[in-house]
Amino acid sequence: MAGQNVFNEILAGEDTFKFYTDGEWKTSTSGKTVNIINPSTLKPVFKVQACTQDEVNKCVDSAKAAQKIWAKTPLWKRAETLHRFAAILREHSVSIAGCLVKEIAKCQKDSVTEVVRSCDLISYTAEEGIRILAQGKFLVSDSFPGNERNKYCLESKIPLGVILAIPPFNYPVNLAVSKIAPALITGNAVILKPPTQGAVAGLHLIHCLHLAGFPKGLVSAITGKGSEIGDLLTMHPGINCISFTGGDTGISISKKAGMIPLQMELGGKDACIVLEDADLDLAASNIVKGGYSYSGQRCTAVKVVCVMESVADTLVSAVNEKVKKLSVGMPEKNCDITPVVSESSANFIQGLVEDAKEKGATFHQEWKREGNLIWPLLIDHVRPDMRIAWEEPFGPVLPVIRIKTIEEGIHHCNANNFALQGCIFTRDINKAIMISDAMESGTIQINGAPARGPDHFPFQGLRDSGIGSQGIINSINIMCKVKSTVINLPGPSYTMG
Ligand SMILES: NC(=O)C1=CN([C@@H]2O[C@H](COP(=O)(O)OP(=O)(O)OC[C@H]3O[C@@H](n4cnc5c(N)ncnc54)[C@H](OP(=O)(O)O)[C@@H]3O)[C@@H](O)[C@H]2O)C=CC1
Ligand SMILES: O=C(O)[C@H](O)COP(=O)(O)O
């Protein structure tokens, strides 16, 4: 569990954790800490440092210095260190999972899965990075009209410098390494600002990285409320790229950040379109898995079902049968539905539900909430004038809109500000492709639930769902830039066989 044995170094007292910079664990000169509230008990469970502007500045300075050395580290050595990081993280996956259970009420089995998935991501990124970064381009001048072959151009990929990694509460380990690993294999330094809910899991992750032997200062983990130190980080002149996953905060960050590359993955309102010829049991299983996993707190969760009227009753009863079987309770008991991350989140969800109720939606289950624990709801006959048709609950409540035509479903998907993922259920592959093409989202799943994984697939949000693309290959490419070296020969020269 948190703070045991090898992790004692990160402790600053009973359930209070240090921040990490310059290869050392430190307490903040602010003398202040931030409480982490256990969503299941509504009581403080851990404390992390409330870092100061001066500490932010020092982290950036040491990152810049360390990055110059790291950029001169051979690719195979960078990969070797990442593999060591992955191995140490795997060794501690159960204890780090225990932090997730307490900080974000993710059930124990899904928490272990998140950490193990992260180990695989780190190692896969190390290997993919070697292959991608080992290759450059060689261009000759006479391919362009009017030129002799007297110039050779060598194009190479070089690191950006210091990357600010800001993951969200729902994947504080996996969405941290999905930024850290590509940043490191490309020769960058990293400043991690973990989510407050999930910060201790993030700090344990960073301690595994520390034990792997990365150069001092190359990676820092700076804690504090995003609303308090966020701007200090995102507007810092020493930051060369921001990789952010979260909510609308990302939109405001994109307006404040300077001339730097942004990789943003924000909210989603993933639409699930079910056609008359669909395998309705397959659709129902994926709607329940997609809509209620981790209590709907996934950007890729199914967030609205648009089902053809003629099959709606059959689909809805199939979904309800499966919803009935979902276990509801505490994460320690590996329940399917666990408390949502905060009281404010639970209140927001309740607001959407009450709005739907007032406007006459059909409820197939009674509304039930105990603290942050919300029992799963399927809300039927939802109409576009209801907030839940458009807004992202980030909770275990799923609206169903009955449509008369496929175009209505496509329109609902495209009329939303979010454009992350969507899915279609039909046995007609031609229709599936044509509908997928018409849905203006970053990813469309055919006959499956929306998902970011597997982690080497490209993953991107359009419109208010993000900027740039994630997935291991695209993250590696976003975290480096191109440099040209042109050799000017005294005269034309042709390579002869
Ligand atoms: N796309 C996705 O996967 C996710 C989307 N969301 C959406 O966002 C909503 C809110 O969830 P939440 O986790 O609070 O998302 P936020 O966007 O508020 O937080 C995401 C990350 O950004 C940090 N942050 C907050 N404010 C700033 C700032 N001004 N500058 C820099 N960083 C900042 C947070 O730190 P701190 O925790 O200290 O505030 C956290 O690490 C959810 O209800 C959901 O709709 C949420 C999580 C994941
Ligand atoms: O931000 C999120 O919620 C995650 O990217 C979703 O990842 P998953 O589809 O693998 O759960």
Side-chain angles (χ1 to χ4, degrees), residues 62-310:
S62 56
K64 284 164 79 171
Q67 189 271 330
K68 296 296 178 207
I69 298 160
W70 183 243
K72 293 175 185 147
T73 304
L75 269 176
W76 65 269
K77 267 193 175 177
R78 295 184 204 165
E80 193 180 69
T81 316
L82 280 166
H83 284 306
R84 206 162 38 244
F85 172 28
I88 295 169
L89 181 61
R90 199 181 296 273
E91 197 185 319
H92 298 288
S93 51
V94 173
S95 64
I96 294 174
C99 300
L100 295 175
V101 167
K102 292 189 177 305
E103 292 189 271
I104 64 169
K106 186 171 278 189
C107 72
Q108 179 68 19
K109 63 181 166 50
D110 290 353
S111 297
V112 172
T113 301
E114 175 178 344
V115 182
V116 171
R117 169 184 181 182
S118 304
C119 304
D120 297 336
L121 189 152
I122 295 165
S123 287
Y124 191 101
T125 304
E127 291 310 302
E128 200 71 10
I130 288 182
R131 304 281 120 27
I132 292 172
L133 298 161
Q135 301 168 38
K137 270 192 199 144
F138 171 63
L139 299 164
V140 291
S141 48
D142 63 321
S143 58
F144 196 85
N147 285 275
E148 293 280 358
R149 187 183 285 231
N150 56 359
K151 292 176 184 290
Y152 289 168
C153 178
L154 309 177
E155 181 198 89
S156 40
K157 293 183 173 129
I158 61 172
L160 298 174
V162 179
I163 294 185
L164 173 58
I166 305 179
F169 77 84
N170 62 343
Y171 282 93
V173 173
N174 185 261
L175 281 169
V177 296
S178 72
K179 305 168 190 303
I180 294 168
L184 293 176
I185 194 64
T186 42
N188 295 288
V190 179
I191 307 263
L192 173 71
K193 178 5 229 164
T196 295
Q197 301 289 138
V200 171
L203 295 174
H204 279 70
L205 166 77
I206 293 301
H207 194 56
C208 295
L209 180 145
H210 166 78
L211 295 172
F214 283 94
K216 285 187 176 179
L218 186 68
V219 178
S220 291
I222 191 125
T223 51
K225 284 188 181 159
S227 54
E228 289 168 13
I229 63 164
D231 287 358
L232 297 177
L233 287 159
T234 55
M235 295 166 76
H236 195 291
I239 296 295
N240 304 109
C241 169
I242 301 173
S243 180
F244 174 91
T245 301
D248 295 347
T249 308
I251 297 177
S252 59
I253 290 172
S254 68
K255 291 172 181 153
K256 298 179 218 171
M259 281 275 286
I260 57 173
L262 299 177
Q263 182 186 44
M264 296 253 161
E265 189 250 306
L266 308 181
K269 187 69 178 178
D270 298 7
C272 171
I273 298 177
V274 182
L275 303 193
E276 287 154 324
D277 69 338
D279 174 340
L280 294 179
D281 193 56
L282 175 73
S285 302
N286 278 280
I287 286 167
V288 171
K289 180 180 76 171
Y292 299 99
S293 303
Y294 187 41
S295 305
Q297 296 176 110
R298 295 166 53 236
C299 63
T300 50
V302 172
K303 306 250 177 64
V304 60
V305 176
C306 298
V307 54
M308 291 296 283
E309 208 163 36
S310 60

Side-chain angles (χ1 to χ4, degrees), residues 310-362:
S310 60
V311 296
D313 287 345
T314 311
L315 178 75
V316 164
S317 58
V319 171
N320 282 329
E321 279 313 302
K322 296 174 191 291
V323 168
K324 267 185 211 156
K325 293 175 187 151
L326 293 172
S327 57
V328 181
M330 293 299 124
E332 292 81 357
K333 295 192 170 14
N334 274 322
C335 289
D336 298 310
I337 305 294
T338 56
V340 294
V341 73
S342 66
E343 205 168 347
S344 60
S345 185
N347 294 340
F348 176 74
I349 295 160
Q350 186 162 346
L352 294 180
V353 170
E354 286 167 354
D355 173 78
K357 190 92 178 170
E358 282 155 25
K359 292 174 181 171
T362 305

Side-chain angles (χ1 to χ4, degrees), residues 269 304-306 355-356 359-361 379-391 399-404 408-409 411-413 415-416:
K269 187 69 178 178
V304 60
V305 176
C306 298
D355 173 78
K359 292 174 181 171
I379 304 176
D380 199 352
H381 297 288
V382 167
R383 296 190 316 274
D385 63 309
M386 299 173 188
R387 288 176 56 198
I388 200 163
W390 305 102
E391 296 181 44
V400 176
I401 297 177
R402 294 170 177 233
I403 56 177
K404 292 183 171 55
E408 271 182 67
H411 169 75
H412 193 83
C413 167
N416 199 303

Side-chain angles (χ1 to χ4, degrees), residues 8 14 25 31 74 87 90 102 136 239 258-259 289 291 317 341 365 377 380 385 394 407 411 444 482 492 494 496:
N8 283 339
E14 184 68 26
W25 291 97
R90 199 181 296 273
K102 292 189 177 305
I239 296 295
M259 281 275 286
K289 180 180 76 171
S317 58
V341 73
Q365 299 82 16
L377 277 185
D380 199 352
D385 63 309
F394 236 63
E407 286 67 28
H411 169 75
I444 297 298
V482 171
Y494 290 85
M496 305 308 283

Side-chain angles (χ1 to χ4, degrees), residues 480-493:
C480 47
K481 56 194 176 192
V482 171
K483 177 159 187 177
S484 300
T485 306
V486 178
I487 300 157
N488 291 275
L489 300 171
S493 172

